[in-house]
Amino acid sequence: MRDFAGKIAVITGGGTGMGRELARQLAAEGCSVAMCDVSASNMAATRALCEEDAPQGARITTHLADVSLEDQVERFQREVARDQDTDKIHLLFNNAGIGGGGSIVSGDRAEWEKTFNVCWGGFICAPALSCRC
């Protein structure tokens, strides 16, 4: 894809790091961006950065969602359709991820499961957002 203007991108984990930079670069190219994260304040900062460089008409929306929880990903999908006023997206970046897990010998199983659910479950759940691409 050479031209991002007028396209719609969805980014999980858009509040910081690579997700933030993806959102910034896509918005600067005229792409509308829908991002989710577990931190509303981080997404607000990303949104402000995106809006500084985005041309008029690019829509930047933020959505609070934990990608390890299917009901929150499904809510995110509905919100994207509503807030971006679309029934399809053009780009999907399954970017959300966390480090963790700790020791396999003495670590807490809940910590391992949370890490797995974000890094693997989020990847499995998020494609539901692209079902109409």
Side-chain angles (χ1 to χ4, degrees), residues 40-124:
S41 61
N42 287 346
M43 281 189 297
T46 300
R47 182 181 187 152
L49 292 167
C50 290
E51 289 175 343
E52 287 176 11
D53 296 328
Q56 189 169 3
R59 193 178 296 190
I60 313 300
T61 60
T62 59
H63 309 269
L64 198 59
D66 179 338
V67 298
S68 71
L69 302 172
E70 188 173 358
D71 63 322
Q72 290 188 25
V73 173
E74 290 172 354
R75 187 190 71 233
F76 176 40
Q77 177 187 12
R78 290 188 302 274
E79 290 174 0
V80 169
R82 180 194 68 213
D83 295 352
Q84 292 286 337
D85 192 26
T86 189
D87 64 352
K88 67 178 179 178
I89 62 171
H90 303 99
L91 301 157
L92 173 63
F93 296 91
N94 285 312
N95 173 71
I98 60 173
S103 169
I104 196 163
V105 175
S106 62
D108 179 38
R109 181 180 175 100
E111 186 179 345
W112 277 98
E113 287 183 8
K114 178 66 174 183
T115 302
F116 182 79
N117 289 340
V118 170
C119 296
W120 178 250
F123 178 75
I124 297 300

